[in-house]
Amino acid sequence: MPIQLFNTLTRKKEDFTPLNPPQVGLYTCGPTVYNYAHIGNFRTYVFEDILRRSLEYLGFKVQHVMNVTDVGHLISDADTGEDKMEVGAKREGRTAWEIAEFYTQAFFRDAGKLNILPSHTIPRATQHIPEMIALIQALEKKGYTYRTSDGIYFDTSKFKEYAKLAGEKNIQGLKAGARVEASAEKKNLTDFSLWKFSPPGTKRQMEWDSPWGKGFPGWHIECSAMSMKYLGETFDIHCGGIDHISIHHTNEITQSEAATGKRFVRFWLHGDFLNMGAKMSKSKDGFVTVSSLEEKNFNPLAYRYFCLNAHYRVPLDFSWENLLAAQKSWEALKGHVLDWQKESVSGSRDVQREETARQKFLECIQDDLNYPQALAVLWEVVRGNFSASSKKELVLEFDKILGLSLDRPPESTSLNLEVQALVQKREEARKTKNFKAADQIRKQLEEKGVLLEDTPQGPRWKLKPKVRDEG
Ligand code: AMP
Ligand code: ZN
């Protein structure tokens, strides 16, 4: 089935057809594992997950590669400052290798909670140093590189199409900004490092021998080397957040195409930012993580639902109030699915009308992943005049793309289990008319932020999200 995607390279929506149908090569820039990923990062990963799920739903066979940057990403994307991994190691008094391992695991745990499918291949930068060196050698042979006192650089004046992704205006703006921090040895303001030398007299935790001396790779060369290794010199789709357009992805294109003489990527897709606002970014660790959401009794999937409210190419403002509204809608949806599953007589299915609704939903997805519109179609089905079994069928099918786990029972987290045990204890106390004990347990539950409701079907509870208490 066809799909249109907005290609940053051509600045328009285009019919997407892969190079070798039905195979699709998809590369998404992965995390730099020196700290937890914040929910802004996860907005981009959720968008990429929906892209992959949509392509798979439409019948493509996606080969998804997402790297882990565990070395070489400097504090500034423009090649200045320290390596983020070494900064993380200093901050926490652990080795750079331990930092990388710890935050890689944390990343996949958080991604799992957001129902983000793991990529088929997860290459780590530290395990692909020979491929990066080979790529730099190829560039050197073709005369694209030069040496300074701190590394091997790419001479961007030799690649005529340098501005093709970001546009000439943006590259000029970038140059103006780069003037302040540019090293005098760089030939052009936009030149970037391919290989950085370990500073003389120091031993870095992560360093490798190379034909040019001991050191470590530049961040951009990592993604070029790993994507081409697993997906070929020309592949279908490459994604990231919009901040990657003018430096990281521009440099990836430049060095890859200079080395191979071929087009690197056919479709470039970029997700716009989640705006956290000044107040929000001042939270405990400087940013909000998946764990911060859970600490406030939000389900990470409510955040996924929140992300579905805006098209991936428009900015989205974060607020706890809007997250609360998203959590309520997500819980309501799950409640409907549960009710439809319970209904013994769920009515007959009208396959014709189901098909019309399915088409309407898919048309939104096929229009450059318009998932906010697709979500509206899902709600039309929920509220519409369908039998329970038709509703269940359609909503769970749509959820294959949206990934909201609408039919998954509540997780057995340790807090959930503890609360469940207390609720049961209170029920027993009430049955034996021990009201004092029952009241005490209710108080205990309230302290844990549990909202308890006694219904004819028995007690129902949920954790009350802590919205106002900023921190
Ligand atoms: P990084 O680890 O910094 O390379 O970022 C990981 C991914 O998150 C990249 O695709 C970035 O473009 C993206 N990203 C960073 N900040 C935000 C944000 N506030 N909103 C959405 N995406 C972001
Ligand atoms: Zn990348």
Side-chain angles (χ1 to χ4, degrees):
M1 269 194 261
I3 181 165
Q4 284 218 315
L5 297 172
F6 185 90
N7 189 350
T8 310
L9 201 55
T10 56
R11 293 163 188 80
K12 59 176 195 281
K13 274 191 223 174
E14 290 179 54
D15 289 329
F16 171 74
T17 41
L19 208 53
N20 301 306
Q23 311 292 331
V24 173
L26 168 68
Y27 186 87
T28 58
C29 285
T32 304
V33 284
Y34 75 119
N35 206 336
Y36 294 105
H38 56 66
I39 57 171
N41 301 134
F42 278 115
R43 180 182 183 206
T44 295
Y45 297 120
V46 164
F47 135 62
E48 293 163 346
D49 185 59
I50 293 179
L51 168 66
R52 168 176 160 185
R53 286 169 181 267
S54 302
L55 291 170
E56 286 175 346
Y57 185 95
L58 296 173
F60 296 108
K61 301 263 171 291
V62 181
Q63 177 59 30
H64 180 195
V65 179
M66 189 202 71
N67 68 298
V68 169
T69 295
D70 51 1
V71 66
H73 191 169
L74 302 188
I75 287 295
S76 150
D77 286 358
D79 277 328
T80 53
E82 287 176 274
D83 180 304
K84 289 185 174 178
M85 299 310 305
E86 306 253 340
V87 170
K90 261 188 231 157
R91 182 187 66 223
E92 297 185 20
R94 290 193 266 181
T95 69
W97 297 94
E98 285 167 346
I99 291 287
E101 191 49 40
F102 179 83
Y103 288 110
T104 301
Q105 287 192 21
F107 175 82
F108 285 106
R109 206 166 42 240
D110 287 349
K113 287 179 180 174
L114 288 164
N115 225 1
I116 292 169
L117 299 170
S119 57
H120 303 101
T121 314
I122 308 174
R124 293 178 192 225
T126 49
Q127 289 169 8
H128 294 78
I129 305 293
E131 288 85 345
M132 297 172 204
I133 290 177
L135 191 53
I136 303 169
Q137 281 177 314
L139 291 169
E140 191 175 38
K141 234 185 239 158
K142 292 192 169 186
Y144 284 107
T145 66
Y146 63 94
R147 188 184 185 109
T148 73
S149 59
D150 73 357
I152 304 295
Y153 281 78
F154 189 101
D155 183 347
T156 52
S157 68
K158 296 200 167 151
F159 188 73
K160 295 294 164 256
E161 295 183 300
Y162 187 72
K164 72 176 170 182
L165 184 71
E168 196 55 56
K169 214 169 114 211
N170 288 328
I171 295 297
Q172 289 310 326
L174 201 69
K175 282 184 183 167
R179 211 150 270 147
V180 189
E181 45 181 343
S183 124
E185 292 179 78
K186 271 203 207 179
K187 291 186 182 170
N188 309 286
L189 288 166
T190 44
D191 291 355
F192 54 93
S193 70
L194 298 163
W195 187 263
K196 278 261 189 181
F197 304 135
S198 297
T202 58
K203 169 135 187 56
R204 282 174 47 92
Q205 295 188 34
M206 289 177 158
E207 60 180 14
W208 292 265
D209 286 325
S210 82
W212 312 280
K214 225 176 217 89
F216 61 102
W219 172 39
H220 318 302
I221 201 77
E222 298 181 0
C223 282
S224 287
M226 293 188 278
S227 59
M228 290 199 285
K229 171 169 180 177
Y230 294 100
L231 297 172
E233 291 178 343
T234 302
F235 61 91
D236 295 306
I237 309 178
H238 193 314
C239 302
I242 45 165
D243 57 324
H244 284 351
I245 298 174
S246 49
I247 299 182
H248 184 49
H249 290 166
T250 287
N251 292 345
E252 273 190 53
I253 293 178
T254 301
Q255 65 204 359
S256 306
E257 299 193 353
T260 66
K262 296 179 191 157
R263 176 151 174 197
F264 175 44
V265 170
R266 302 172 61 244
F267 280 74
W268 285 92
L269 268 63
H270 291 99
D272 209 319
F273 261 36
L274 177 81
N275 296 322
M276 304 291 292
K279 194 172 160 205
M280 206 81 66
S281 28
K282 280 197 208 109
S283 79
K284 238 188 309 171
D285 300 310
F287 49 77
V288 178
T289 61
V290 170
S291 301
S292 336
L293 302 181
E294 290 181 305
E295 277 161 25
K296 287 178 181 286
N297 292 339
F298 282 99
N299 191 303
L301 289 173
Y303 176 66
R304 186 173 172 115
Y305 187 101
F306 171 86
C307 291
L308 297 185
N309 285 311
H311 189 264
Y312 76 91
R313 285 195 293 114
V314 299
L316 174 61
D317 290 334
F318 180 77
S319 80
W320 292 104
E321 280 76 15
N322 289 346
L323 181 64
L324 182 62
Q327 172 136 316
K328 284 185 177 156
S329 303
W330 176 73
E331 280 173 350
L333 265 184
K334 273 181 84 84
H336 286 304
V337 172
L338 204 68
D339 290 345
W340 300 329
Q341 280 169 337
K342 273 191 206 148
E343 272 179 46
S344 47
V345 188
S346 44
S348 59
R349 289 181 44 193
D350 183 339
V351 178
Q352 192 76 45
R353 284 182 60 231
E354 274 180 30
E355 189 49 32
T356 309
R358 186 179 291 111
Q359 281 313 322
K360 199 168 169 194
F361 179 89
L362 285 179
E363 273 164 25
C364 303
I365 294 294
Q366 288 166 297
D367 179 14
D368 190 30
L369 306 178
N370 192 344
Y371 40 77
Q373 199 61 47
L375 189 61
V377 173
L378 180 148
W379 276 106
E380 276 173 25
V381 168
V382 172
R383 297 192 178 115
N385 176 22
F386 286 94
S387 67
S389 57
S390 279
K391 287 184 183 184
K392 190 183 81 180
E393 181 71 22
L394 285 170
V395 166
L396 293 185
E397 196 174 327
F398 298 167
D399 199 33
K400 286 183 189 156
I401 289 179
L402 303 180
L404 294 165
S405 282
L406 294 175
D407 62 344
R408 198 162 73 191
E411 283 114 282
S412 357
T413 59
S414 53
L415 180 63
N416 281 356
L417 292 175
E418 197 186 335
V419 170
Q420 235 157 321
L422 280 171
V423 172
Q424 208 171 344
K425 224 165 123 190
R426 176 173 167 269
E427 273 307 281
E428 279 154 22
R430 268 156 43 106
K431 272 190 200 135
T432 53
K433 302 219 178 327
N434 186 351
F435 295 116
K436 202 170 152 208
D439 278 352
Q440 249 168 6
I441 298 173
R442 178 185 262 279
K443 256 197 210 120
Q444 234 178 311
L445 286 165
E446 273 169 9
E447 277 159 21
K448 290 187 187 297
V450 173
L451 279 178
L452 195 62
E453 192 192 353
D454 290 309
T455 74
Q457 290 83 32
R460 282 206 184 144
W461 64 271
K462 64 178 183 182
L463 293 170
K464 189 167 126 202
K466 301 177 210 159
V467 175
R468 307 236 160 250
D469 145 36
E470 294 297 323

